[in-house]
Amino acid sequence: MKINKVEISNFRALKKVVVPLDQFSVLIGENDVGKTSFLYALDKFFNGKKINTKDDFFCGKIDDDIVICITFNNLQKDEDLDKIKHTNGQIVIKKIFSFDLPPKAYSLSEDGSEKPISSDLLKKYFSNDSFHFIPVRRDLLVQFSMSKTALLGKTIRAKMHEAVKSTDKSNSVSNVEKLLTSAVQEPRKQLENFLREQMNNEDLGLIFDDLSVDPVEGVSFLVKLSDEKVDKTPIENRGAGTQNNLIIALFRLVASSNVGGKIVFAMEEPENSLHPKAQRQLLSVLQAISNESQVIVTTHSPVFVERSK
């Protein structure tokens, strides 16, 4: 899935904008021109929940609806999608948010007419299962949780589902626990390898400490890092640069796993807290991710501006 164009009206700092997007898009601009508003608008579109905060409406005018219209292409073959595709293969979805009401969703035909779109189709292709946004304030404890919307949770849940599905249904509970524990370790090792590569540190170790796998209660663990200086330090106690690299490693893990099909990644100021050399490494990582999944970032970094389209 790829977003070709986004049209936004009456959302936060954006009275009316039309923004074309590429497979890897870098948005630049002065402070307070609406870069963050743009990413949050995408998040609201895919999240699909009602907007009940006055500050989310342009100039606080809650009588004026927020309208977010997105043009997609490169969607997979599906009979229900084919019904709303244009002759050029594009699909246009429009969502209208009235204050404190569930959004109304429509597909737009080539003549501009609107048709209601089913909630099942929205959930399958145009929900937060297909979009992941990380704001400038990185909440690692959220991203490393086992929830359905967390980056790590999306990957590990899929791995565990595959493991359980492929096993003999007559297996005992203890054998299922062992199977699930093994499924957790595979993405942990991938994350560790990505992190070592990004930080150029072969001594770095990623640990899922106090790992508990229970078929009924679920999975829980504490994420910690070790290197030549410290042993098993909780991720929230590491520096901002290391935390940023963990987020990027998670991006790479989800992109390489292709969990839930193609996912659009959005990140606000990914260069935050990184020195120029690390920013260049990060840009290379994001460009590599964009070979498989669409990536949208906002930035103030000269490195990103000079080295990207």
Side-chain angles (χ1 to χ4, degrees):
M1 182 178 72
K2 178 187 172 186
I3 298 174
N4 272 14
K5 183 174 66 175
V6 181
E7 302 172 63
I8 303 168
S9 299
N10 298 319
F11 182 74
R12 295 193 180 183
L14 307 174
K15 184 177 182 180
K16 188 174 180 61
V17 295
V18 179
V19 181
L21 295 174
D22 209 335
Q23 187 68 16
F24 181 65
S25 295
V26 178
L27 307 181
I28 63 173
E30 296 180 3
N31 291 326
D32 292 329
V33 298
K35 301 186 302 298
T36 296
S37 295
F38 179 81
L39 294 185
Y40 271 98
L42 290 178
D43 190 49
K44 295 289 186 184
F45 178 95
F46 285 97
N47 186 282
K49 295 181 179 179
K50 63 183 179 182
I51 299 177
N52 55 11
T53 302
K54 183 179 178 181
D55 291 341
D56 282 337
F57 289 76
F58 182 76
C59 292
K61 298 178 180 177
I62 62 175
D63 291 333
D64 295 334
D65 293 338
I66 293 169
V67 181
I68 305 172
C69 187
I70 300 183
T71 302
F72 298 90
N73 70 357
N74 294 353
L75 287 148
Q76 67 188 65
K77 186 73 173 177
D78 184 290
E79 289 184 5
D80 291 326
L81 288 177
D82 289 343
K83 295 174 184 177
I84 60 175
K85 277 183 182 177
H86 295 185
T87 52
N88 61 4
Q90 293 184 342
I91 289 177
V92 183
I93 306 296
K94 177 180 180 180
K95 287 192 175 183
I96 301 174
F97 297 81
S98 300
F99 183 74
D100 203 24
L101 291 174
K104 297 176 181 178
Y106 305 92
S107 64
L108 269 60
S109 61
E110 292 182 79
D111 62 7
S113 59
E114 302 174 354
K115 297 180 181 178
I117 185 169
S118 72
S119 58
D120 288 342
L121 200 59
L122 285 174
K123 171 63 179 174
K124 189 174 181 180
Y125 293 106
F126 309 107
S127 69
N128 53 14
D129 290 339
S130 303
F131 179 80
H132 203 94
F133 169 48
I134 296 184
V136 70
R137 181 181 177 276
R138 320 290 189 227
D139 194 337
L140 287 178
L141 295 181
V142 171
Q143 299 303 330
F144 274 83
S145 74
M146 284 298 294
S147 72
K148 292 181 179 180
T149 57
L151 272 176
L152 189 60
K154 284 180 178 180
T155 304
I156 292 183
R157 280 172 176 271
K159 296 285 185 184
M160 296 175 77
H161 179 75
E162 291 172 3
V164 172
K165 191 175 180 180
S166 63
T167 191
D168 185 349
K169 290 182 173 59
S170 64
N171 268 345
S172 66
V173 171
S174 61
N175 284 340
V176 172
E177 289 177 4
K178 292 178 182 178
L179 194 68
L180 296 180
T181 300
S182 176
V184 169
Q185 292 302 332
E186 181 185 346
R188 184 205 62 77
K189 188 61 179 178
Q190 285 181 280
L191 273 174
E192 183 179 75
N193 289 337
F194 286 145
L195 204 55
R196 286 178 173 179
E197 176 188 328
Q198 290 166 209
M199 301 185 70
N200 194 27
N201 184 355
E202 288 299 317
D203 294 325
L204 192 149
L206 180 67
I207 302 100
F208 288 176
D209 208 11
D210 296 331
L211 176 62
S212 172
V213 179
D214 186 283
V216 177
E217 299 297 329
V219 180
S220 64
F221 50 82
L222 300 175
V223 181
K224 298 182 179 180
L225 288 175
S226 293
D227 56 25
E228 68 279 6
K229 298 178 182 178
V230 295
D231 183 49
K232 293 186 177 181
T233 302
I235 54 172
E236 63 269 25
N237 293 342
R238 297 299 295 252
T242 299
Q243 292 185 14
N244 244 15
N245 269 294
L246 270 168
I247 293 291
I248 298 304
L250 271 174
F251 267 16
R252 295 176 69 184
L253 176 67
V254 178
S256 64
S257 302
N258 198 26
V259 175
K262 298 292 183 181
I263 296 177
V264 176
F265 294 111
M267 193 171 186
E268 185 181 13
E269 299 180 23
E271 78 280 1
N272 194 34
S273 303
L274 296 179
H275 61 78
K277 179 181 178 181
Q279 289 184 29
R280 290 191 289 272
Q281 292 173 334
L282 171 58
L283 178 59
S284 296
V285 168
L286 291 174
Q287 288 172 328
I289 291 172
S290 71
N291 291 329
E292 298 296 331
S293 300
Q294 187 175 20
V295 176
I296 307 163
V297 301
T298 65
T299 189
H300 291 289
S301 167
V303 171
F304 273 67
V305 174
E306 293 167 3
R307 292 171 176 257
S308 58
K309 293 182 181 179

